[in-house]
Amino acid sequence: MKKDFVKNLYCNVDKSENSIKKYVLLILPITMFILGFILDDINQILSGLYNIVLSEDLLLTDYLVIGGIGATFINSAILSFFNIYLLHKLKVPINGTAIAGVFIVAGFAFFGKNIFNVWPIYLGTYLYSRYQKRSYRSVLYITMFATALSPIVSQLSFGLGLPIQQGLALGILFGTVIGFVVTPLSAHLVRAHDGYNIYNVGFTAGFIGTILISVLRGFGMDVNTQLILSHEYHNILKYILISFSIILFVIGYFLNNKSFKGFLDIFEFSGRLVTDFVMLIGIGNTFINMGIMGLISILYVIISDGAINGPIVGGILTIIGFSAFGKHPKNTIPVLLGVLTAGFINIWDVDSTLVIIAGLFGTTLAPIAGEYGVFAGFISGFIHLSVVMNIGSLHGGVNLYNNGFSGGIVASVLVPILDAFSKED
């Protein structure tokens, strides 16, 4: 009887904490949903969503230009609501992986993921789970990350000039196949970088996208990256992101018994896959870290003198999400400084969106700084900028996690060298 009472007590505590996490995750999509209808009228939102769905979505396609701010906010809110609903419905624990997954989808819903092109990926991972006789909840985390390749669905559906029925069939078919194969592939390819590239699915998606686009080019169907960026929403986006980061910080402070006790323990972890801060330092300290990292990300954009647009919002939200899953100030700042320095001395403009998001998303290499030190992190960021600025042409922009692809390559080459020098020491 006593054991049953204790067991039920812990279950109730876990359920209560899980509910708190869900409520916090809902803050951003609820805010965006409300703001979407405040900033645009219903007709503009509907026409904007229509334009977003029909866009080709190759890197970089800023939905703030394609559909307007209202439709973009609603698009992100809907996808966020859906993923949070799946976590709730399938009773999936909201750990660091889940938080990172929700935020990365919310962020990329500003430039590449929309209410049409993600569903074939979900279908593919569902079919994979059924084929393997596994619960869908076991692949839900990777499903959210696998939507990196959702532009393939849009490109095949609307970008090849095919009749609409044929285009849709082709896009949905390829999206489903991608969703089916991404789980086993990502489990295999993580060995290449040994967990030092946090965006492992982005690394996997880079290979899938490169193979697919190479085949399409072989049939004379050329697919290339593009650059569609907004500039007029900088201030409102900045204030929303600053406010949200502060809210996360305050919530974390109160959940941690109105203290920062145990927060500094986070610096002991390198961030190498898999590093779940929710499990390691508690949800309160995790939210504190997410808030701090959000502010650091915004400060990085300000120092770079860049304008906050759709892709940059995606970068900031991704850092916030992965601050529950491996990133903290100690292991990310060296990478940011490495990219920033490279931007100043290389041929690219440091205030350009491409360079800024290379810094934000380049923090996928944070585990290198966490494991091998500040200088190694700086070097990884420095190299990363040159690699990521050239690698997008391989997959034609269909892999939204281009920095994950680049980060995997950099880590795969750099980590063995760092290991060799470490052993000599």
Side-chain angles (χ1 to χ4, degrees), residues 51 61-69 72 228-233:
N51 291 334
T61 303
D62 189 341
Y63 285 163
L64 292 167
V65 175
I66 302 296
I69 191 168
T72 302
I228 302 172
L229 299 172
S230 65
H231 300 282
E232 63 267 37
Y233 302 111

Side-chain angles (χ1 to χ4, degrees), residues 49-57 66 114 116 154 158-159 164:
L49 286 171
Y50 179 79
N51 291 334
I52 286 172
V53 166
L54 293 182
S55 64
E56 295 180 13
D57 297 326
I66 302 296
N114 63 55
F116 162 71
S154 295
F158 310 119
I164 189 65

Side-chain angles (χ1 to χ4, degrees), residues 188-260:
H188 178 77
L189 287 172
V190 72
R191 302 170 193 168
H193 54 79
D194 205 20
Y196 287 95
N197 172 39
I198 297 180
Y199 306 156
N200 179 54
V201 176
F203 185 49
T204 306
F207 284 104
I208 296 173
T210 298
I211 292 171
L212 178 59
I213 294 306
S214 297
V215 171
L216 290 177
R217 286 170 176 164
F219 285 94
M221 303 176 188
D222 202 13
V223 180
N224 292 300
T225 58
Q226 58 189 13
L227 197 63
I228 302 172
L229 299 172
S230 65
H231 300 282
E232 63 267 37
Y233 302 111
H234 169 77
N235 285 327
I236 186 170
L237 294 172
K238 179 175 68 174
Y239 295 135
I240 290 171
L241 291 168
I242 289 174
S243 299
F244 181 61
S245 298
I246 292 172
I247 288 170
L248 286 174
F249 181 88
V250 172
I251 289 173
Y253 174 78
F254 278 97
L255 289 177
N256 202 45
N257 296 319
K258 299 181 182 180
S259 76
F260 300 106

Side-chain angles (χ1 to χ4, degrees), residues 339 353-363 384-385 388-389 403:
V339 173
T353 294
L354 289 172
V355 173
I356 292 172
I357 64 173
L360 296 172
F361 289 117
T363 54
H384 175 78
L385 177 61
V388 78
M389 293 295 277
N403 283 269

Side-chain angles (χ1 to χ4, degrees), residues 19-181:
S19 296
I20 291 171
K21 297 171 192 172
K22 276 185 283 191
Y23 294 144
V24 175
L25 288 179
L26 284 167
I27 292 173
L28 184 62
I30 289 173
T31 301
M32 289 193 295
F33 192 82
I34 293 171
L35 285 176
F37 284 102
I38 291 174
L39 296 170
D40 270 341
D41 63 49
I42 184 66
N43 292 325
Q44 289 176 312
I45 289 171
L46 291 176
S47 64
L49 286 171
Y50 179 79
N51 291 334
I52 286 172
V53 166
L54 293 182
S55 64
E56 295 180 13
D57 297 326
L58 301 174
L59 285 174
L60 294 166
T61 303
D62 189 341
Y63 285 163
L64 292 167
V65 175
I66 302 296
I69 191 168
T72 302
F73 276 18
I74 298 300
N75 181 62
S76 182
I78 291 172
L79 294 184
S80 299
F81 284 139
F82 178 74
N83 283 291
I84 295 169
Y85 170 76
L86 282 181
L87 290 170
H88 170 75
K89 184 69 176 178
L90 299 176
K91 299 179 180 178
V92 178
I94 299 181
N95 53 22
T97 317
I99 293 172
V102 170
F103 273 90
I104 201 170
V105 172
F108 278 88
F110 278 74
F111 73 115
K113 301 181 183 183
N114 63 55
I115 55 175
F116 162 71
N117 65 15
V118 299
W119 308 127
I121 309 291
Y122 282 82
L123 175 60
T125 55
Y126 173 76
L127 293 176
Y128 174 80
S129 71
R130 299 301 298 171
Y131 178 76
Q132 292 289 331
K133 295 183 170 70
R134 295 163 56 182
S135 168
Y136 188 50
R137 60 181 284 172
S138 68
V139 297
L140 181 57
Y141 296 148
I142 201 163
T143 299
M144 291 188 277
F145 298 129
T147 50
L149 286 164
S150 54
I152 288 179
V153 178
S154 295
Q155 179 66 20
L156 295 178
S157 297
F158 310 119
L160 299 182
L162 299 172
I164 189 65
Q165 295 90 342
Q166 294 179 23
L168 286 172
L170 193 64
I172 292 170
L173 174 63
F174 272 80
T176 303
V177 171
I178 287 166
F180 191 91
V181 303

